Amino acid sequence: LAKTTQPISMDSYEGQEVNITCSHNNIATNDYITWYQQFPSQGPRFIIQGYKTKVTNEVASLFIPADRKSSTLSLPRVSLSDTAVYYCLVGPNNNDMRFGAGTRLTVKP
Amino acid sequence: EPEVTQTPSHQVTQMGQEVILRCVPISNHLYFYWYRQILGQKVEFLVSFYNNEISEKSEIFDDQFSVERPDGSNFTLKIRSTKLEDSAMYFCASSDLVELAKNIQYFGAGTRLSVL
């Protein structure tokens, strides 16, 4: 199981771009990188997934360097509603998906 | 957009009572999960279920817990004799084979269990 390391917390202001980096030095060849978002009192929500290079969707971008030992979730122009915990997971873990502590992002006005 | 639904949203029970938490996974999914999150702590895996049997379970999922798919749509978590420390948010999730290989699961909004 590839271990991930990400900052415990980050602060930002409305309108700024936020980049959250996750380290996963032991990533395996068949592992994907997946990010989830969790608002208070809600379940985690899948937001983006990638294998290499860059992936972009309507919510975020995910940058993965060639060695795949890290990944960066980029949230463009955050708003107050982006305040949440963001989790980086590496796998497939198939039947045993384990969440870490995540990164608690606080967006301030 | 299809979603995982959980009922009830909040369940209050007395210590020692049995509770059943209910989930309706996304209709074409075949892999089902329960997680819990104690207030202020991380999301913890409890159990996974496929083809009418448990695939994997964590050390938390002891003999007090059981899961069932009683019909074609529901997936339930039963706690036989609740303890104070069972108070938590319980999340159900589901996935299909393709998304599972990419670590993608879809979560419900959760059931808040309060054991008094």
Side-chain angles (χ1 to χ4, degrees):
Chain A
L1 209 66
K3 179 176 160 53
T4 61
T5 303
Q6 51 183 124
I8 294 291
S9 64
M10 293 181 72
D11 289 344
S12 182
Y13 290 92
E14 282 189 292
Q16 290 187 331
E17 177 183 81
V18 170
N19 297 308
I20 305 173
T21 296
C22 178
S23 299
H24 28 79
N25 290 317
N26 297 324
I27 191 168
T29 304
N30 63 336
D31 282 343
Y32 286 84
I33 299 155
T34 314
W35 285 81
Y36 286 80
Q37 173 191 58
Q38 186 182 24
F39 297 116
S41 298
Q42 294 188 29
R45 179 176 80 113
F46 163 73
I47 50 174
I48 198 164
Q49 171 261 318
Y51 185 79
K52 61 180 179 181
T53 65
K54 177 184 172 184
V55 180
T56 296
N57 63 21
E58 64 278 4
V59 176
S61 294
L62 181 59
F63 298 92
I64 305 168
D67 66 7
R68 304 200 328 123
K69 293 185 185 298
S70 67
S71 58
T72 299
L73 175 74
S74 181
L75 304 172
R77 300 181 58 80
V78 293
S79 63
L80 296 177
S81 62
D82 291 315
T83 293
V85 179
Y86 293 83
Y87 301 96
C88 163
L89 283 88
V90 173
N93 297 317
N94 292 323
N95 290 313
D96 187 8
M97 196 158 76
R98 307 275 175 149
F99 286 81
T103 297
R104 183 175 300 277
L105 173 66
T106 302
V107 180
K108 302 175 183 176
Chain B
E1 184 180 310
E3 60 179 19
V4 175
T5 57
Q6 291 185 241
T7 54
S9 56
H10 190 190
Q11 174 87 49
V12 181
T13 190
Q14 295 290 327
M15 194 169 54
Q17 294 295 304
E18 175 185 285
V19 294
I20 297 176
L21 309 184
R22 302 180 192 280
C23 169
V24 178
I26 293 173
S27 62
N28 62 334
H29 285 181
L30 299 176
Y31 298 84
F32 313 118
Y33 309 85
W34 283 100
Y35 295 81
R36 79 170 186 192
Q37 187 173 33
I38 295 170
L39 186 63
Q41 298 187 24
K42 63 182 181 180
V43 176
E44 299 174 291
F45 168 78
L46 291 178
V47 66
S48 58
F49 190 88
Y50 169 71
N51 200 26
N52 280 320
E53 60 182 31
I54 290 174
S55 310
E56 189 108 19
K57 60 183 180 178
S58 73
E59 55 279 4
I60 302 168
F61 194 88
D62 61 23
D63 292 343
Q64 293 297 317
F65 292 89
S66 62
V67 289
E68 194 179 27
R69 189 155 162 81
D71 52 43
S73 58
N74 290 285
F75 179 52
T76 62
L77 174 70
K78 182 194 287 187
I79 308 176
R80 262 180 269 283
S81 177
T82 49
K83 305 193 259 303
L84 294 176
E85 53 264 37
D86 293 326
S87 295
M89 283 289 285
Y90 288 81
F91 297 110
C92 173
S94 70
S95 187
D96 65 22
L97 182 60
V98 172
E99 291 174 323
L100 184 61
K102 299 177 182 178
N103 251 3
I104 299 172
Q105 296 179 12
Y106 296 90
F107 286 75
T111 293
R112 178 174 301 282
L113 177 64
S114 299
V115 182
L116 306 179

